[in-house]
Amino acid sequence: MGIGKTKGTRKRFPFLLATMRGISQVFLIGNWVTGLLILAAITITSFKLGLMAFLSAAIGTLFGRLGGGHPVSVERGLYGYNPMLTGMALFLFLEGPVSWGIALFGAAVSAAFTASVMRFLQPAGMPTLTFPYIVTTWLLMLSSYKFEAFKVTDKLVPQHLSDWKLEIAGEIHWLSAFLDGAGQIFFLQGILAGLLLFLGIFVADWKMGLYAIAGNFIGMFTAYILGGEHTLIDAGLYGYNAILTALAVGVVFRDGANRLSLYSTMISCVLTVVFIGSVDTILLPFGLPALTMPFALSTSIFIGARLMMR
């Protein structure tokens, strides 16, 4: 695509491109082609989920525009990724006649929450990450216990910690588990979806692609060495948070003058796996998914430490 055509496309479809970049910002990337590949991966897995992803990201982008968000932040898609993930999560984890409406409402709330978190964290030099998505999703899921019009899906079962048993047995299909590591960021499983997602990262930046692969491997093998459940490793549930951590700590928020960045990235990915275990344990009585909280916690710790100890 030529430069003139790219500029013309930007002039003709600014809202659509900002929405696509919002989708790509889940990977901390501001590239509309990456966003298109992510949306394709979601849509081929589930058309309804793909539609929800696009509408939710569009709601976030529209909120940023109409609400007077900084034009550069809106164009980069920084108002779109948290609403997108929120809409997808609520669409999957809630049931009932108004579940679609609740999912889109959650996307709008997440957009407002994103603006609030940006207001408080940006002056301190800290990124927003996915905290708005996590908190909004958890709160709306918990509210379902008090209303009849929507409820949490039966797939999420609250459990008492004393009744929990660790099941290690099970075969791990390492290739599919590796690809599902990327897919689980968007609640996806499947070889084609995983390939499209990794392709989306490499299209934007080959270095980020290598870090995503490394983070995925570190997450999977750390969980295996520590004796994590094989079924969870096989489903990619120990890889997706580590991928995001590797991208954030290793590339996006890396201090170029810090020679320990590579080592801190490896350690942060290991810590992310440990946090997966702790967050899952805390949430057992509520039947809530961990989402990307392990990534957000581990990344915030290392970025904050770098700001204080340059």
Side-chain angles (χ1 to χ4, degrees), residues 25-43:
Q25 284 291 350
V26 175
F27 282 136
L28 297 96
I29 294 170
N31 186 300
W32 70 268
V33 177
T34 300
L36 192 61
L37 288 170
I38 292 172
L39 188 61
I42 299 170
T43 305

PDB file of all heavy atoms in Angstrom, residues 25-43:
ATOM      1  N   GLN A  25      -4.665  -2.609  20.459  1.00  0.00           N
ATOM      2  CA  GLN A  25      -4.056  -2.162  21.700  1.00  0.00           C
ATOM      3  C   GLN A  25      -4.124  -3.206  22.813  1.00  0.00           C
ATOM      4  O   GLN A  25      -3.450  -3.073  23.827  1.00  0.00           O
ATOM      5  CB  GLN A  25      -4.714  -0.866  22.179  1.00  0.00           C
ATOM      6  CG  GLN A  25      -4.306   0.391  21.428  1.00  0.00           C
ATOM      7  CD  GLN A  25      -2.861   0.794  21.687  1.00  0.00           C
ATOM      8  OE1 GLN A  25      -2.188   0.268  22.566  1.00  0.00           O
ATOM      9  NE2 GLN A  25      -2.391   1.768  20.918  1.00  0.00           N
ATOM     10  N   VAL A  26      -4.914  -4.255  22.622  1.00  0.00           N
ATOM     11  CA  VAL A  26      -4.885  -5.366  23.578  1.00  0.00           C
ATOM     12  C   VAL A  26      -3.472  -5.932  23.634  1.00  0.00           C
ATOM     13  O   VAL A  26      -3.003  -6.361  24.689  1.00  0.00           O
ATOM     14  CB  VAL A  26      -5.896  -6.461  23.175  1.00  0.00           C
ATOM     15  CG1 VAL A  26      -5.785  -7.660  24.105  1.00  0.00           C
ATOM     16  CG2 VAL A  26      -7.311  -5.906  23.194  1.00  0.00           C
ATOM     17  N   PHE A  27      -2.778  -5.929  22.503  1.00  0.00           N
ATOM     18  CA  PHE A  27      -1.382  -6.362  22.427  1.00  0.00           C
ATOM     19  C   PHE A  27      -0.417  -5.197  22.650  1.00  0.00           C
ATOM     20  O   PHE A  27       0.776  -5.357  22.389  1.00  0.00           O
ATOM     21  CB  PHE A  27      -1.086  -6.989  21.066  1.00  0.00           C
ATOM     22  CG  PHE A  27      -1.582  -8.398  20.906  1.00  0.00           C
ATOM     23  CD1 PHE A  27      -2.225  -8.779  19.736  1.00  0.00           C
ATOM     24  CD2 PHE A  27      -1.394  -9.351  21.906  1.00  0.00           C
ATOM     25  CE1 PHE A  27      -2.663 -10.094  19.571  1.00  0.00           C
ATOM     26  CE2 PHE A  27      -1.835 -10.646  21.745  1.00  0.00           C
ATOM     27  CZ  PHE A  27      -2.473 -11.027  20.579  1.00  0.00           C
ATOM     28  N   LEU A  28      -0.925  -4.049  23.099  1.00  0.00           N
ATOM     29  CA  LEU A  28      -0.131  -2.840  23.299  1.00  0.00           C
ATOM     30  C   LEU A  28       0.477  -2.368  21.983  1.00  0.00           C
ATOM     31  O   LEU A  28       1.593  -1.874  21.921  1.00  0.00           O
ATOM     32  CB  LEU A  28       0.964  -3.059  24.349  1.00  0.00           C
ATOM     33  CG  LEU A  28       0.464  -3.373  25.757  1.00  0.00           C
ATOM     34  CD1 LEU A  28       0.447  -4.885  25.996  1.00  0.00           C
ATOM     35  CD2 LEU A  28       1.342  -2.716  26.817  1.00  0.00           C
ATOM     36  N   ILE A  29      -0.292  -2.551  20.903  1.00  0.00           N
ATOM     37  CA  ILE A  29       0.131  -2.179  19.555  1.00  0.00           C
ATOM     38  C   ILE A  29      -0.904  -1.231  18.964  1.00  0.00           C
ATOM     39  O   ILE A  29      -2.102  -1.443  19.137  1.00  0.00           O
ATOM     40  CB  ILE A  29       0.247  -3.430  18.660  1.00  0.00           C
ATOM     41  CG1 ILE A  29       1.377  -4.345  19.145  1.00  0.00           C
ATOM     42  CG2 ILE A  29       0.468  -3.054  17.202  1.00  0.00           C
ATOM     43  CD1 ILE A  29       1.398  -5.702  18.480  1.00  0.00           C
ATOM     44  N   GLY A  30      -0.459  -0.185  18.283  1.00  0.00           N
ATOM     45  CA  GLY A  30      -1.379   0.732  17.635  1.00  0.00           C
ATOM     46  C   GLY A  30      -1.322   0.583  16.131  1.00  0.00           C
ATOM     47  O   GLY A  30      -0.842   1.474  15.421  1.00  0.00           O
ATOM     48  N   ASN A  31      -1.783  -0.550  15.606  1.00  0.00           N
ATOM     49  CA  ASN A  31      -1.683  -0.853  14.181  1.00  0.00           C
ATOM     50  C   ASN A  31      -3.018  -1.404  13.698  1.00  0.00           C
ATOM     51  O   ASN A  31      -3.485  -2.433  14.199  1.00  0.00           O
ATOM     52  CB  ASN A  31      -0.558  -1.878  13.951  1.00  0.00           C
ATOM     53  CG  ASN A  31      -0.287  -2.140  12.486  1.00  0.00           C
ATOM     54  OD1 ASN A  31      -1.165  -2.574  11.756  1.00  0.00           O
ATOM     55  ND2 ASN A  31       0.941  -1.880  12.057  1.00  0.00           N
ATOM     56  N   TRP A  32      -3.641  -0.750  12.723  1.00  0.00           N
ATOM     57  CA  TRP A  32      -4.972  -1.168  12.293  1.00  0.00           C
ATOM     58  C   TRP A  32      -4.966  -2.522  11.590  1.00  0.00           C
ATOM     59  O   TRP A  32      -5.963  -3.255  11.654  1.00  0.00           O
ATOM     60  CB  TRP A  32      -5.597  -0.097  11.400  1.00  0.00           C
ATOM     61  CG  TRP A  32      -4.994   0.077  10.042  1.00  0.00           C
ATOM     62  CD1 TRP A  32      -4.001   0.932   9.686  1.00  0.00           C
ATOM     63  CD2 TRP A  32      -5.360  -0.627   8.845  1.00  0.00           C
ATOM     64  NE1 TRP A  32      -3.716   0.826   8.355  1.00  0.00           N
ATOM     65  CE2 TRP A  32      -4.530  -0.129   7.802  1.00  0.00           C
ATOM     66  CE3 TRP A  32      -6.290  -1.615   8.547  1.00  0.00           C
ATOM     67  CZ2 TRP A  32      -4.607  -0.594   6.504  1.00  0.00           C
ATOM     68  CZ3 TRP A  32      -6.375  -2.094   7.234  1.00  0.00           C
ATOM     69  CH2 TRP A  32      -5.550  -1.584   6.236  1.00  0.00           C
ATOM     70  N   VAL A  33      -3.844  -2.873  10.946  1.00  0.00           N
ATOM     71  CA  VAL A  33      -3.758  -4.189  10.311  1.00  0.00           C
ATOM     72  C   VAL A  33      -3.758  -5.279  11.375  1.00  0.00           C
ATOM     73  O   VAL A  33      -4.428  -6.313  11.230  1.00  0.00           O
ATOM     74  CB  VAL A  33      -2.488  -4.286   9.429  1.00  0.00           C
ATOM     75  CG1 VAL A  33      -2.372  -5.689   8.833  1.00  0.00           C
ATOM     76  CG2 VAL A  33      -2.521  -3.242   8.331  1.00  0.00           C
ATOM     77  N   THR A  34      -3.022  -5.054  12.454  1.00  0.00           N
ATOM     78  CA  THR A  34      -3.030  -5.995  13.578  1.00  0.00           C
ATOM     79  C   THR A  34      -4.438  -6.132  14.138  1.00  0.00           C
ATOM     80  O   THR A  34      -4.907  -7.240  14.430  1.00  0.00           O
ATOM     81  CB  THR A  34      -2.073  -5.520  14.681  1.00  0.00           C
ATOM     82  OG1 THR A  34      -0.746  -5.434  14.164  1.00  0.00           O
ATOM     83  CG2 THR A  34      -2.088  -6.473  15.867  1.00  0.00           C
ATOM     84  N   GLY A  35      -5.127  -5.005  14.274  1.00  0.00           N
ATOM     85  CA  GLY A  35      -6.510  -5.039  14.761  1.00  0.00           C
ATOM     86  C   GLY A  35      -7.418  -5.834  13.851  1.00  0.00           C
ATOM     87  O   GLY A  35      -8.282  -6.588  14.317  1.00  0.00           O
ATOM     88  N   LEU A  36      -7.217  -5.697  12.543  1.00  0.00           N
ATOM     89  CA  LEU A  36      -8.039  -6.432  11.574  1.00  0.00           C
ATOM     90  C   LEU A  36      -7.785  -7.935  11.679  1.00  0.00           C
ATOM     91  O   LEU A  36      -8.718  -8.742  11.600  1.00  0.00           O
ATOM     92  CB  LEU A  36      -7.724  -5.930  10.170  1.00  0.00           C
ATOM     93  CG  LEU A  36      -8.674  -6.374   9.046  1.00  0.00           C
ATOM     94  CD1 LEU A  36     -10.095  -5.876   9.307  1.00  0.00           C
ATOM     95  CD2 LEU A  36      -8.169  -5.857   7.700  1.00  0.00           C
ATOM     96  N   LEU A  37      -6.527  -8.326  11.865  1.00  0.00           N
ATOM     97  CA  LEU A  37      -6.196  -9.744  12.008  1.00  0.00           C
ATOM     98  C   LEU A  37      -6.768 -10.315  13.303  1.00  0.00           C
ATOM     99  O   LEU A  37      -7.227 -11.464  13.335  1.00  0.00           O
ATOM    100  CB  LEU A  37      -4.682  -9.935  11.960  1.00  0.00           C
ATOM    101  CG  LEU A  37      -4.034  -9.731  10.583  1.00  0.00           C
ATOM    102  CD1 LEU A  37      -2.516  -9.707  10.694  1.00  0.00           C
ATOM    103  CD2 LEU A  37      -4.478 -10.836   9.618  1.00  0.00           C
ATOM    104  N   ILE A  38      -6.735  -9.527  14.368  1.00  0.00           N
ATOM    105  CA  ILE A  38      -7.321  -9.969  15.635  1.00  0.00           C
ATOM    106  C   ILE A  38      -8.822 -10.168  15.468  1.00  0.00           C
ATOM    107  O   ILE A  38      -9.378 -11.181  15.902  1.00  0.00           O
ATOM    108  CB  ILE A  38      -7.043  -8.937  16.748  1.00  0.00           C
ATOM    109  CG1 ILE A  38      -5.559  -8.888  17.084  1.00  0.00           C
ATOM    110  CG2 ILE A  38      -7.855  -9.275  18.009  1.00  0.00           C
ATOM    111  CD1 ILE A  38      -5.178  -7.770  18.036  1.00  0.00           C
ATOM    112  N   LEU A  39      -9.474  -9.206  14.831  1.00  0.00           N
ATOM    113  CA  LEU A  39     -10.920  -9.308  14.618  1.00  0.00           C
ATOM    114  C   LEU A  39     -11.254 -10.508  13.740  1.00  0.00           C
ATOM    115  O   LEU A  39     -12.266 -11.196  13.964  1.00  0.00           O
ATOM    116  CB  LEU A  39     -11.444  -8.025  13.984  1.00  0.00           C
ATOM    117  CG  LEU A  39     -12.969  -7.900  13.861  1.00  0.00           C
ATOM    118  CD1 LEU A  39     -13.628  -7.948  15.232  1.00  0.00           C
ATOM    119  CD2 LEU A  39     -13.345  -6.598  13.148  1.00  0.00           C
ATOM    120  N   ALA A  40     -10.399 -10.789  12.763  1.00  0.00           N
ATOM    121  CA  ALA A  40     -10.618 -11.962  11.907  1.00  0.00           C
ATOM    122  C   ALA A  40     -10.508 -13.246  12.716  1.00  0.00           C
ATOM    123  O   ALA A  40     -11.308 -14.175  12.543  1.00  0.00           O
ATOM    124  CB  ALA A  40      -9.604 -11.965  10.766  1.00  0.00           C
ATOM    125  N   ALA A  41      -9.510 -13.306  13.616  1.00  0.00           N
ATOM    126  CA  ALA A  41      -9.325 -14.493  14.449  1.00  0.00           C
ATOM    127  C   ALA A  41     -10.538 -14.731  15.342  1.00  0.00           C
ATOM    128  O   ALA A  41     -10.969 -15.874  15.534  1.00  0.00           O
ATOM    129  CB  ALA A  41      -8.072 -14.348  15.296  1.00  0.00           C
ATOM    130  N   ILE A  42     -11.100 -13.648  15.872  1.00  0.00           N
ATOM    131  CA  ILE A  42     -12.277 -13.777  16.738  1.00  0.00           C
ATOM    132  C   ILE A  42     -13.492 -14.197  15.921  1.00  0.00           C
ATOM    133  O   ILE A  42     -14.249 -15.091  16.308  1.00  0.00           O
ATOM    134  CB  ILE A  42     -12.563 -12.441  17.456  1.00  0.00           C
ATOM    135  CG1 ILE A  42     -11.374 -12.048  18.326  1.00  0.00           C
ATOM    136  CG2 ILE A  42     -13.825 -12.551  18.311  1.00  0.00           C
ATOM    137  CD1 ILE A  42     -11.473 -10.629  18.889  1.00  0.00           C
ATOM    138  N   THR A  43     -13.675 -13.572  14.763  1.00  0.00           N
ATOM    139  CA  THR A  43     -14.882 -13.790  13.958  1.00  0.00           C
ATOM    140  C   THR A  43     -14.942 -15.194  13.374  1.00  0.00           C
ATOM    141  O   THR A  43     -16.023 -15.788  13.291  1.00  0.00           O
ATOM    142  CB  THR A  43     -14.966 -12.747  12.836  1.00  0.00           C
ATOM    143  OG1 THR A  43     -14.903 -11.426  13.411  1.00  0.00           O
ATOM    144  CG2 THR A  43     -16.267 -12.872  12.068  1.00  0.00           C
TER     145      THR A  43
END
